[in-house]
Amino acid sequence: DIQMTQSPPVLSASVGDRVTLSCKASQNINKNLDWYQQKHGEAPKLLIYYTNNLQTGIPSRFSGSGSGTDYTLTISSLQPEDVATYYCYQYNSGWTFGGGTKLELK
Amino acid sequence: EVQLQQSGPEVGRPGSSVKISCKASGYTFTDYVMNWVKQSPGQGLEWIGWIDPEYGSTDYAEKFKKKATLTADTSSNTAYIQLSSLTSEDTATYFCARSTEGIVSSLDYWGQGVMVTVSS
């Protein structure tokens, strides 16, 4: 099974900061990776699909990149409404979520 | 508008079973695979499995093969997950989520989640 490791587990940042979240796969996942945002008490929401494609309706401050085993979600200018837990998810071989990164305001 | 409406919270006794539903609307139910995801209290997301409503085919994560059973009723556009032999480890919120295209794809629409509590 493919393991997905997200880092850091918790990230504190200020409004306006550029924020980078990481996700590492235990083997090559051929860019078959999404990012989901989950706010407290809500269902997850698809942000980025297939590594770098912005889902409809998602603000352009969110972007994704990566290849092979290493992937990144970037928020170019953090907003208060971005406080949430972010999960990566691979579907290249089986289906696996990462453990999540909790994003907080400093 | 695509919507996935899940049933209400459930309480199950240890050793019993519960069955929760996910009613789809706003799209052709048989055209998209439905996934189920578990979230234990304060924890991350775990993929449970998927069902193709058109053919009834399923696949499960190894740890859920003896725990969960996925079914779908095409006459009512509803997907179901049954959880058997409940233990405290099954206390969690369960989400249904639609795959965008086939089984190797993203999860674009989610239900609101159903809280299952296992308690005697």
Side-chain angles (χ1 to χ4, degrees):
Chain A
D1 292 1
I2 295 179
Q3 308 302 315
M4 305 298 291
T5 302
Q6 292 189 240
S7 59
V10 180
L11 179 59
S12 294
S14 301
V15 173
D17 283 353
R18 181 179 181 87
V19 171
T20 300
L21 286 63
S22 296
C23 178
K24 186 174 182 67
S26 58
Q27 64 190 71
N28 182 7
I29 55 171
N30 298 304
K31 295 189 174 183
N32 288 305
L33 178 120
D34 300 337
W35 291 93
Y36 295 82
Q37 176 193 64
Q38 187 180 32
K39 296 183 179 181
H40 184 69
E42 298 184 4
K45 178 195 296 185
L46 176 63
L47 296 179
I48 301 286
Y49 62 95
Y50 195 62
T51 294
N52 57 8
N53 295 274
L54 195 66
Q55 176 69 345
T56 301
I58 302 302
S60 59
R61 64 180 180 272
F62 291 92
S63 64
S65 63
S67 64
T69 61
D70 296 305
Y71 298 84
T72 299
L73 174 69
T74 300
I75 307 173
S76 61
S77 178
L78 185 66
Q79 299 302 303
E81 60 266 31
D82 300 335
V83 168
T85 300
Y86 293 82
Y87 295 93
C88 60
Y89 170 70
Q90 73 81 23
Y91 43 89
N92 184 72
S93 177
W95 299 265
T96 320
F97 287 97
T101 291
K102 185 176 182 180
L103 180 57
E104 302 174 336
L105 284 181
K106 191 180 293 183
Chain B
E1 178 192 6
V2 173
Q3 291 190 334
L4 301 177
Q5 184 63 42
Q6 296 188 240
S7 47
E10 295 274 355
V11 177
R13 302 290 189 200
S16 71
S17 297
V18 295
K19 189 173 186 178
I20 59 180
S21 66
C22 171
K23 184 172 176 60
S25 61
Y27 71 97
T28 302
F29 182 60
T30 51
D31 283 352
Y32 295 84
V33 167
M34 190 70 77
N35 295 259
W36 290 87
V37 175
K38 176 184 179 182
Q39 186 168 40
S40 300
Q43 302 301 307
L45 304 172
E46 287 184 273
W47 180 79
I48 295 172
W50 56 255
I51 181 167
D52 182 336
E54 182 173 14
Y55 301 106
S57 52
T58 56
D59 196 5
Y60 298 87
E62 189 65 36
K63 70 174 288 187
F64 291 103
K65 284 184 176 178
K66 295 184 178 180
K67 172 60 61 178
T69 302
L70 305 184
T71 57
D73 179 354
T74 57
S75 67
S76 62
N77 294 340
T78 303
Y80 299 90
I81 180 170
Q82 179 166 318
L83 304 168
S84 61
S85 303
L86 292 174
T87 72
S88 59
E89 296 295 306
D90 300 318
T91 293
T93 297
Y94 293 84
F95 296 97
C96 57
R98 190 188 81 161
S99 288
T100 55
E101 184 176 3
I103 61 174
V104 183
S105 67
S106 311
L107 308 175
D108 59 351
Y109 288 93
W110 292 65
Q112 80 275 22
V114 174
M115 181 68 197
V116 173
T117 303
V118 180
S119 174
S120 56

